[in-house]
């Protein structure tokens, strides 16, 4: 659009506004150039008057005048308001202004103190040597930067809420009935103990050896850190120089890698932890997570591994030795080498002397510790993989059940399981079985390849005092003392007798139950058909059922008392039918046999078709020795976790059969023992009662007897576990009636205890 600006400022057509060149000049229509001010590039004055250049003037000024005239205010220019700045822009401007003011004030001083480097006026190497101002400034700057770095590191470093998983993992420890350690189970040998359970002398032995200023330092030692750095410069690892707080941080929160970055993080966390936890809490954590050798972590497990007792029972001398191990158990365990022993004794003496120097032991007390405390040759908690593993397996099952511990919690560890197992009885039972096994391998090596021996001893109050689970738990995955694999045979007869004495017998459908006693007479001949009130008992194949006596022997009319003493099968099959098979099952269950092990409710039940374990057979016989009261077998006396007792369900005795019934059965069992082994019975003074058990198909041989209020059951059987779980014929490995292998094991196991 073309506009012409009149003198009055009103635009008129016919004048073209000169365009602006890239140099900021206007192009004059005649081809010359000029600046907006009307001055030529050469410096000459542009034409004035009515020339186009003069007429043009400032386009902006004219437009403003024209607008002013239109508004009724000729000659007045209307100005546009500047946009309002943002808060950020104003803040930036203020900062820039403040900086400029500071620079203006400090500039001269900064220029004076600015180091001139390399130094002017000097030549050679001297020009590169800083003066005292430059050196001092560098030191101050380094110090300030270090303080700033440490402050930031302290602020950003956090103490994890949870310890690392390895630091919290513990093992479970099992103890014999007398309280001595039996075995352990778990990936890590560790048990947490409260600091109050650690004697003061033992605590200060550790502090004297490792960090005597523990209660006064801030968690780190500048001297120690410097010494550690000087030792390891150029080696890329760190060693020494750590306080107990730092060592606890490393054990509980960090890895064991030996690097500078880990050492730096360890120091910062130690400072922070020292402000977060009390000194006693840190010391407790340190003692519970430190490595003491022999596979142990924590001072409690170390006390058991080296001295066979709890840490609460240690004295200052023993504590000083355990403190020595913190320097490096592989170098100070005296049982490993003579050099180790020499090092251990030297460090032990030094630790005790340090306790005197820091005032934690009197010279008189120190004088009492002149002999190096003897340690155990091996860790008594070591699991052998043989009988101890069977004991651990059984105790674990009972502990989880009686203390109501979940698998997850139990696997976390930290439990102390005090068992009912008597070490002397277990050892003797193991030796007795080993002797029988060796003889079988010698006499009949082919048949002995698949022979098994299960045994268990149960006290009348239900305590499982001993078991034999097998040759080696690592090779055989099941416990023979707790296996329900073979029939009880004639060893089941006492339960049939007890049921008859309790409930009486029914001879006809319409008659009521008739009481029986030990003097009641029954037919004892071989192969006598079994009868019911309706007549003979027929099996599903249409044949009359009849029992068989051992060796086909017939006894004629015989009392029930004598029939039990002589193990007459035919008498007890008929007695069970007359009593009622349901009542026989109920009596067996009340006496301790498990329902799942009882056989079908058919006449064979009375001759021992049930398949109880050795543990349950021994438990059942305790009922008669306990005057008719039965207590469920158990393997746990007490369970604790890190020193605190865990509530457990303790079995209580309950009435299973009448006391008179139990006394009669026990009397018959005593006569059974006397009849079979008169010489041994004479030496036992009537305190022993027992009975053998055989099966018709010769797949199992038993002996169950009670001596001094402890019943022991032994079973021998053959089974090829690689092919089937069905028992095989014994082929003579069970012995004979007069030379019974189970009885031999039974008597051998009890001989030292008689």
């Amino acid at each position: 659009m073309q506009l012409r600006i009149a003198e009055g400022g009103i635009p008129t057509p016919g004048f073209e506004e000169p365009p602006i060149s890239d140099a900021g000049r206007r192009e004059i229509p005649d081809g010359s150039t000029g600046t907006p001010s009307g001055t030529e590039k050469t410096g000459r004055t542009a034409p004035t008057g009515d020339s186009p250049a003069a007429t043009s003037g400032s386009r902006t000024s004219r437009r403003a005048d024209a607008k002013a005239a239109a508004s009724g205010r000729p000659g007045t220019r209307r100005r546009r308001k500047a946009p309002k700045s943002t808060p950020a822009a104003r803040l930036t401007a203020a900062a820039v202004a403040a900086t400029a003011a500071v620079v203006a004030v400090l500039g001269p001083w900064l220029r004076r103190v600015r180091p001139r480097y390399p130094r002017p006026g000097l030549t050679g190497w001297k020009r590169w040597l800083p003066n005292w101002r430059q050196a001092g400034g560098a030191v101050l700057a380094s110090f300030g930067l270090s303080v700033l770095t440490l402050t930031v590191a302290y602020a950003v470093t956090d103490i994890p809420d949870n310890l690392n998983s390895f630091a919290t993992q513990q093992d479970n420890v099992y103890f014999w009935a007398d309280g001595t350690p039996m075995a352990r189970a778990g990936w890590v040998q560790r048990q947490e103990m409260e600091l109050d359970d650690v004697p003061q002398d033992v605590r200060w032995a550790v502090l004297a050896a490792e960090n005597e200023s523990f209660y006064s330092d801030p968690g780190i030692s500048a001297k120690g850190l410097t010494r550690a750095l000087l030792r390891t410069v150029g080696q890329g690892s760190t060693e020494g120089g750590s306080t107990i707080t730092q060592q606890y941080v490393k054990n509980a929160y960090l890895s064991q890698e030996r690097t500078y970055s880990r050492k730096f993080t360890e120091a910062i966390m130690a400072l922070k932890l020292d402000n977060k936890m009390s000194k006693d809490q840190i010391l407790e954590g340190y003692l519970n997570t430190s490595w003491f050798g022999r596979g142990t972590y924590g001072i409690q497990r170390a006390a058991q591994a080296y001295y066979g007792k709890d840490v609460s029972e240690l004295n200052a001398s023993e504590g000083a030795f355990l403190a020595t191990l913190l320097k490096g158990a592989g170098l100070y365990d005296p049982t490993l080498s003579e050099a180790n022993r020499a090092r251990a004794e030297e460090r032990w003496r030094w630790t005790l002397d340090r306790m005197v120097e820091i005032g934690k032991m009197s010279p008189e007390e120190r004088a009492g510790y002149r002999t190096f405390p003897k340690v155990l040759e091996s860790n008594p908690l070591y699991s052998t993989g043989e009988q101890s593993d069977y004991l651990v397996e059984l105790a674990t099952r009972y502990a989880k059940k009686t203390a109501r511990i979940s698998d997850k919690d139990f696997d976390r560890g930290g439990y102390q399981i005090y068992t009912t197992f008597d070490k002397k009885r277990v050892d003797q039972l193991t030796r007795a079985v080993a002797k029988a096994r060796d003889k079988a391998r010698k006499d009949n090596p082919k048949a002995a390849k698949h022979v098994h021996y299960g045994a268990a001893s149960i006290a009348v109050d239900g305590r499982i005092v001993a078991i034999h689970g097998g040759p080696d738990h690592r090779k055989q995955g099941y416990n023979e003392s707790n296996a329900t694999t073979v029939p009880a045979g004639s060893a089941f007869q006492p339960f049939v007798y007890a049921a008859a004495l309790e409930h009486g017998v029914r001879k006809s459908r319409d008659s009521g139950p008739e009481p029986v006693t030990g003097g009641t007479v029954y037919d004892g001949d071989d192969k006598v058909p079994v009868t019911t009130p309706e007549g003979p008992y027929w099996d599903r194949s249409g044949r009359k059922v009849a029992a068989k006596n051992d060796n086909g022997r017939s006894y004629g009319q015989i009392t029930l008392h004598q029939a039990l003493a002589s193990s007459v099968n035919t008498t007890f099959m008929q007695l069970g039918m007359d009593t009622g098979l349901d009542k026989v099952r109920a009596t067996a269950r009340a006496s301790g046999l498990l329902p799942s092990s009882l056989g079908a409710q058919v006449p064979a039940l009375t001759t021992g078709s049930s398949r109880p374990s050795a543990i349950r057979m021994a438990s059942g016989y305790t009922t008669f020795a306990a005057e008719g009261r039965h207590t469920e077998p158990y393997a746990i006396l007490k369970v604790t976790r890190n020193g605190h007792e865990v509530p457990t369900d303790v079995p209580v005795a309950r009435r299973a059969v009448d006391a008179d019934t139990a006394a009669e059965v026990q009397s018959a069992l005593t006569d059974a023992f006397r009849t079979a082994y008169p010489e041994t019975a004479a030496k036992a003074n009537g305190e022993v009662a027992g009975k053998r058990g055989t099966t018709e198909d010769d797949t199992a041989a038993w002996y169950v007897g009670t001596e001094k209020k402890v019943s022991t059951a032994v079973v021998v059987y053959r089974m090829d576990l690689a092919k089937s779980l069905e028992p095989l014929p014994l082929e003579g490995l069970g012995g004979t009636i007069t030379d019974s292998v189970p009885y031999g094991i039974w008597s051998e196991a009890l001989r030292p205890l008689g």
Side-chain angles (χ1 to χ4, degrees), residues 84-94:
K84 188 176 182 180
S85 61
T86 63
R90 291 197 299 273
L91 182 61
T92 302

Side-chain angles (χ1 to χ4, degrees), residues 570-743:
T570 54
T571 296
F572 282 96
M573 179 175 281
Q574 185 60 57
L575 181 64
M577 294 296 293
D578 293 343
T579 303
L581 298 180
D582 58 334
K583 294 180 176 59
V584 172
R585 287 176 60 90
T587 302
R589 288 184 59 180
S591 299
L593 270 61
L594 296 177
S596 58
S597 69
L598 296 175
Q601 198 162 300
V602 295
L605 173 68
T606 59
T607 56
S609 62
S610 298
R611 300 190 175 196
S613 65
I615 289 176
R616 286 293 169 171
M617 279 297 286
S619 176
Y621 273 53
T622 63
T623 302
F624 310 122
E627 300 178 348
R629 298 182 68 83
H630 175 73
T631 304
E632 278 292 288
Y634 62 98
I636 303 301
L637 293 174
K638 181 176 67 174
V639 177
T640 63
R641 191 167 196 274
N642 299 330
H644 299 283
E645 188 164 351
V646 179
T648 56
D649 296 329
V650 180
V652 295
R654 53 181 174 76
R655 174 65 58 188
V657 296
D658 187 75
D660 291 339
T661 297
E664 169 55 29
V665 175
Q666 187 72 359
S667 174
L669 290 173
T670 300
D671 286 345
F673 179 75
R674 288 173 177 170
T675 301
Y677 308 102
E679 295 183 3
T680 307
K683 297 178 182 179
N685 298 322
E687 295 184 14
V688 180
K691 188 183 186 310
R692 63 184 173 85
T694 57
T695 59
E696 186 176 344
D697 51 7
D698 190 35
T699 56
W702 290 80
Y703 195 84
V704 188
T706 304
E707 187 262 351
K708 294 183 178 179
K709 301 297 183 180
V710 175
S711 293
T712 301
V714 180
V715 60
V716 181
Y717 61 97
R718 288 181 66 240
M719 186 177 293
D720 187 351
L721 297 174
K723 295 181 179 180
S724 172
L725 294 180
E726 286 300 315
L728 303 172
L730 282 170
E731 297 185 7
L733 293 181
T736 63
I737 295 176
T738 57
D739 186 20
S740 167
V741 171
Y743 172 76

Side-chain angles (χ1 to χ4, degrees), residues 397-417:
R397 293 176 59 183
Y398 277 97
K400 290 180 179 179
K401 179 181 178 181
T402 60
R404 298 179 298 279
I405 304 172
S406 67
D407 291 342
K408 181 179 179 181
D409 285 343
F410 198 84
D411 290 344
R412 287 174 55 210
Y415 290 96
Q416 298 79 51
I417 297 95

Side-chain angles (χ1 to χ4, degrees), residues 231-277:
R231 287 178 179 176
T232 57
V233 168
Q235 298 180 9
S237 64
T238 62
E239 58 178 78
S242 295
T243 64
I244 279 180
T245 306
Q246 289 175 260
Q247 293 180 58
Y248 174 58
V249 167
K250 179 180 65 176
N251 294 341
Y253 299 104
L254 303 177
S255 67
Q256 299 297 311
E257 63 176 345
R258 299 168 67 84
T259 63
Y260 289 114
S261 60
R262 197 271 298 157
K263 194 74 176 177
F264 178 76
T265 303
E266 171 192 300
I268 297 298
M269 291 181 67
L271 283 170
K272 208 158 192 175
L273 195 69
D274 194 74
N275 292 326
K276 183 179 180 180
M277 297 174 62

Side-chain angles (χ1 to χ4, degrees), residues 286-579:
Y286 171 72
L287 293 176
N288 282 328
T289 57
S290 295
W291 164 256
F292 285 88
R294 293 194 177 184
T296 64
Y297 289 85
I299 197 166
Q300 165 69 356
R301 195 63 76 245
Q304 294 168 342
Y306 290 94
Y307 293 108
K309 54 187 176 183
D310 288 344
V311 65
S312 60
E313 303 172 17
L314 297 180
N315 58 34
S317 177
E318 294 164 336
F321 166 70
L322 294 186
T324 295
L325 297 171
L326 294 168
K327 193 73 174 175
L331 296 174
Y332 292 91
D333 185 342
T335 63
L336 299 180
S337 67
E338 286 300 323
N340 272 23
R341 182 176 181 83
R343 279 191 293 266
E345 289 190 14
E346 181 181 1
R347 179 93 177 156
W348 167 77
R349 286 191 293 269
W350 176 85
T351 300
L352 291 174
D353 291 341
R354 287 297 298 159
M355 292 180 69
V356 175
E357 291 176 17
I358 64 178
K360 298 304 176 181
M361 178 183 289
S362 67
E364 293 76 19
E365 187 180 2
R366 172 66 180 90
Y369 297 126
R370 295 299 178 187
T371 304
F372 183 73
K374 184 179 180 180
V375 301
L376 300 176
E377 288 298 320
S378 61
N379 187 346
L381 299 178
Y382 178 69
S383 179
T384 65
E386 297 180 355
Q387 282 307 302
S388 63
D389 280 0
Y390 292 109
L391 300 174
V392 166
E393 178 188 57
L394 188 64
T396 298
R397 293 176 59 183
Y398 277 97
K400 290 180 179 179
K401 179 181 178 181
T402 60
R404 298 179 298 279
I405 304 172
S406 67
D407 291 342
K408 181 179 179 181
D409 285 343
F410 198 84
D411 290 344
R412 287 174 55 210
Y415 290 96
Q416 298 79 51
I417 297 95
Y418 295 85
T419 72
T420 59
F421 304 132
D422 185 316
K423 188 176 188 304
K424 292 182 179 179
R425 286 184 179 272
V426 171
D427 290 344
Q428 189 60 22
L429 186 58
T430 301
R431 286 192 290 268
V433 172
K435 182 178 179 180
R437 192 188 303 274
D438 291 342
K439 185 176 186 303
R441 288 171 177 171
K442 180 180 179 180
D443 296 344
N444 192 346
K446 184 177 180 180
K449 185 177 180 180
H450 302 299
V451 69
H452 299 272
Y453 303 86
S457 296
I458 313 292
V460 294
D461 60 3
R463 290 176 294 114
I464 304 175
V465 296
I467 65 166
H468 177 81
D472 191 334
H473 190 273
R474 293 169 296 186
K475 298 178 181 179
Q476 176 176 287
Y478 80 100
N479 188 336
E480 291 173 351
S481 71
N482 203 31
T484 56
T485 53
V486 294
S490 53
F492 186 81
Q493 291 174 359
F495 305 109
V496 180
Y497 189 24
L501 293 172
E502 282 282 288
H503 303 285
V505 297
R506 189 186 296 271
K507 295 290 187 178
S508 64
R509 177 181 294 275
D510 298 329
S511 65
E514 300 176 7
V516 296
T517 66
T520 301
V521 176
Y522 263 70
D523 191 343
D525 286 343
D526 186 44
K527 298 182 181 180
V528 175
V530 176
T531 62
T532 69
E534 287 78 20
Y537 184 89
W538 304 80
D539 63 16
R540 293 185 178 181
S541 62
R543 292 178 299 182
K544 292 182 180 180
V545 174
K548 297 179 181 179
N549 292 327
D550 290 339
N551 298 327
R553 181 179 176 181
S554 293
Y555 294 86
Q557 296 297 305
I558 188 173
T559 65
L560 295 178
H561 183 101
Q562 186 59 41
L564 182 63
S566 302
S567 192
V568 182
N569 294 332
T570 54
T571 296
F572 282 96
M573 179 175 281
Q574 185 60 57
L575 181 64
M577 294 296 293
D578 293 343
T579 303

